[in-house]
Amino acid sequence: MRLGSCFLVYQDMRILLKIIVVALLTALLCVQCTTKELIPPNVLLILVDDLGFSDLGCYGGEIKTPHLDKLASGGLRFTQFSNCARCWPTRATLLTGYYPQQIGRDNAPGIEGGGRGIRPDWAGMIPRYLKDAGYRSYHSGKWHIDGMPVENGFNGSYYLADQGRFFSPKKHYKDDEKLPPVEIGTGFYATIEIADRTIDHNFGIHNEQGRCRIRRR
């Protein structure tokens, strides 16, 4: 009787498990059929040198920054965030996900960093990995890390290498190709150019000079 009872219980459990599996599969199929396709979010990362977190209006600053405040209201706002105190180590960390000392972008005992450091081959930049997820990545502005933007996975780039000359840079690049120097008195201003190129990456609007056609109020 005990053996028979155990066998009957075992048979009942097998039937119950089959019913549960079929029910789960049916539920998953229904979810797949009724759930809308998830669209990956767009990501805009703005790295600003020499800016304190409380300088922006959305963090209580006295300076009016309505456009940045609008971005913050529709995005994520960090309450705990640390940087590397200088531009090139911070860029290296954001673009690779490693501490700058790990990849030769900052000094530490026995490690030569900064501009002389060599980033290891295993420390690839994030845009290369984002491609596998279906993203296109673009860069506009200062680079200040080894290599070139497109070479390191960006789909497009405006690289202002001569960031000390706001009105007449002599070294700047588009998609890793050097552009002609900008003459003094042409109305060029680096901050506006970087913003224009960012919008240009998004909409792909060029005129014959390669500048973005934007109507400003």
Side-chain angles (χ1 to χ4, degrees), residues 121-133:
D121 293 336
W122 46 262
M125 293 190 186
I126 289 176
R128 288 185 174 177
Y129 304 106
L130 288 175
K131 284 184 178 180
D132 296 335

Side-chain angles (χ1 to χ4, degrees), residues 6-78:
C6 290
F7 177 74
L8 287 174
V9 171
Y10 175 69
Q11 288 287 82
D12 291 341
M13 288 298 295
R14 289 185 63 186
I15 295 171
L16 181 61
L17 285 173
K18 286 182 180 180
I19 294 172
I20 292 173
V21 170
V22 171
L24 286 173
L25 289 175
T26 304
L28 288 173
L29 286 173
C30 290
V31 169
Q32 288 181 349
C33 293
T34 57
T35 302
K36 292 183 179 179
E37 182 181 357
L38 296 177
I39 300 175
N42 293 319
V43 179
L44 174 64
L45 177 62
I46 304 174
L47 178 61
V48 183
D49 285 347
D50 307 318
L51 177 72
F53 81 94
S54 61
D55 290 339
L56 304 180
C58 54
Y59 283 98
E62 297 177 354
I63 303 171
K64 293 183 179 180
T65 55
H67 299 298
L68 295 176
D69 297 348
K70 187 176 180 181
L71 284 174
S73 65
L76 293 175
R77 294 178 55 193
F78 291 99

Side-chain angles (χ1 to χ4, degrees), residues 121-176:
D121 293 336
W122 46 262
M125 293 190 186
I126 289 176
R128 288 185 174 177
Y129 304 106
L130 288 175
K131 284 184 178 180
D132 296 335
Y135 277 89
R136 296 174 63 84
S137 303
Y138 297 92
H139 158 265
S140 183
K142 187 178 176 181
W143 180 242
H144 214 175
I145 192 172
D146 57 283
M148 297 290 280
V150 174
E151 174 191 7
N152 280 282
F154 283 93
N155 293 89
S157 166
Y158 174 65
Y159 168 21
L160 183 62
D162 203 3
Q163 63 268 5
R165 291 188 174 92
F166 285 90
F167 303 98
S168 56
K170 299 185 181 301
K171 293 197 307 181
H172 57 154
Y173 302 81
K174 184 182 184 302
D175 299 339
D176 295 359

Side-chain angles (χ1 to χ4, degrees), residues 148-209:
M148 297 290 280
V150 174
E151 174 191 7
N152 280 282
F154 283 93
N155 293 89
S157 166
Y158 174 65
Y159 168 21
L160 183 62
D162 203 3
Q163 63 268 5
R165 291 188 174 92
F166 285 90
F167 303 98
S168 56
K170 299 185 181 301
K171 293 197 307 181
H172 57 154
Y173 302 81
K174 184 182 184 302
D175 299 339
D176 295 359
E177 299 291 333
K178 192 172 183 179
L179 295 171
V182 177
E183 299 295 329
I184 297 176
T186 59
F188 180 98
Y189 185 55
T191 302
I192 293 176
E193 183 71 10
I194 291 170
D196 282 358
R197 295 284 183 169
T198 302
I199 299 170
D200 184 30
H201 289 323
N202 192 21
F203 295 105
I205 303 172
H206 285 81
N207 62 14
E208 293 180 358
Q209 286 76 34

